[in-house]
Amino acid sequence: MLSQFFQYDFLQNTFYTGLLIGLIGPLLGSFIVVRRLSLIADGLSHVTLAGIAFGLFVEKKFGLLLLTPFYYGTAFSVIGAVLIERLRRVYHAFQELAIPIILSAGVGLSVIFISLADGFNNDLYNYLFGSVSAVSRNDFYGILIIAIIVVTVLIIFYKELFMLSFDEEYARVSGIHAERIHFLFIILTALVISASIRIVGVLLVSALMTLPVAASIRIARGFKQTIIYSVIFGEISVIGGLISGYYLEIPPGGTIVMISILILLLTISGKKLWLNMKRKKAIL
C-alpha cells in the first residue's frame, strides 16, 4: 500500500511531510497539554487560516504570487502568537482571555479575506481539511526547516521547558527567564500549527497535537515516556490517515483524527482492563 507513495513526487512530498508532522505535532503537544494550553492550538489555527485567506486574496485580486498561502499563514500564525503573549501580560489576572480574543480576530479576518477572494475554492477547502495531493516540494522544504528548528530548540531548552511546565514558581526561583522561554515556546507552537495545516487542515490541527498526548498519558509512567508514546501514536495516526484518505479519496484530516480517537479509546479501555486484572490478582 505504501508503494504508490513512492511512485509519484506529490505523494512522496505528502508522505515525508506527514512523517515530520507526526513527529513535531505530538512532540510539542506534550508540553502544551501539560501546561494546560490546549486551546492555544485552536486559536492560532484560526489566525493561520486568516493568513492563508489573505494569501489567496492577494493572489486572486492582484495576481501576485511572491509567496504561497502557506507562508502567509505561517507569518500570521507567528504574529498571532506574539499578540497572545502580549495580551497575557495585559490581562495578567485573566491570561486565558488572550486565546479567545485572538481566535475571534482570526475568524473575523478569515471571513473578510475569504469573501474578498470570492468565497470558497478548492485550495481553501484543502487548507481547511487537509489534502493528500496539495503539498508541494517547496512546502515540504519549508516544513522540514520548521521541524529542524522545533526539535533543536526543544533539545536545547528541554530542562527549562520541563521545569516551567511542572513548577513555574520553582523555575523562576532557579533563575530561568520564564517570559523568554514562554515566548519562544509559543512561537514554536505557531510554527508547528502552520506546518501541520497542509496535512491535517485548519479545523483539525489541534487534535493532532492533543489526542496522541491524551492517549499516551493513560499508559506512560513519566514525561519522557509520554513524549515517546505521543510521537508513536501521532505517526501511526498520520500514516494511517494519509493512506486511508488516499484510497478512500477523502481529506486526510478526518481520518487522521478518527485514528487518533480510536487509539485514545483503546488506551483508555486497555488501562481499565489492566487495572481490573490487577485488582483481581490482588484479591486472589
Side-chain angles (χ1 to χ4, degrees), residues 115-217:
S115 299
L116 293 175
D118 297 334
F120 282 87
N121 56 37
N122 191 54
D123 287 337
L124 188 58
Y125 181 85
N126 289 337
Y127 280 110
L128 284 174
F129 302 105
S131 173
V132 173
S133 60
V135 182
S136 67
R137 181 64 68 172
N138 288 333
D139 288 340
F140 166 70
Y141 287 137
I143 294 170
L144 176 61
I145 292 171
I146 289 174
I148 292 172
I149 293 172
V150 170
V151 173
T152 302
V153 172
L154 288 181
I155 290 173
I156 294 173
F157 294 101
Y158 174 81
K159 180 181 176 182
E160 289 82 356
L161 286 168
F162 178 83
M163 293 176 67
L164 284 171
S165 298
F166 287 94
D167 194 339
E168 187 168 341
E169 286 189 16
Y170 176 75
R172 290 176 182 273
V173 171
S174 300
I176 293 176
H177 296 286
E179 287 77 14
R180 295 179 185 177
I181 297 297
H182 186 74
F183 181 80
L184 181 62
F185 175 78
I186 202 170
I187 294 296
L188 291 181
T189 304
L191 292 176
V192 170
I193 288 170
S194 63
S196 303
I197 279 174
R198 247 338 191 177
I199 298 292
V200 189
V202 169
L203 301 180
L204 302 170
V205 65
S206 63
L208 181 62
M209 301 183 73
T210 56
L211 290 179
V213 183
S216 66
I217 286 173

Side-chain angles (χ1 to χ4, degrees), residues 1-16 132-133 135 137 246-247:
M1 296 179 70
L2 284 175
S3 59
Q4 292 194 33
F5 276 86
F6 298 97
Q7 290 180 1
Y8 306 101
D9 287 341
F10 74 94
L11 287 178
Q12 288 180 25
N13 296 336
T14 301
F15 184 76
Y16 294 139
V132 173
S133 60
V135 182
R137 181 64 68 172
Y246 174 74
Y247 284 102

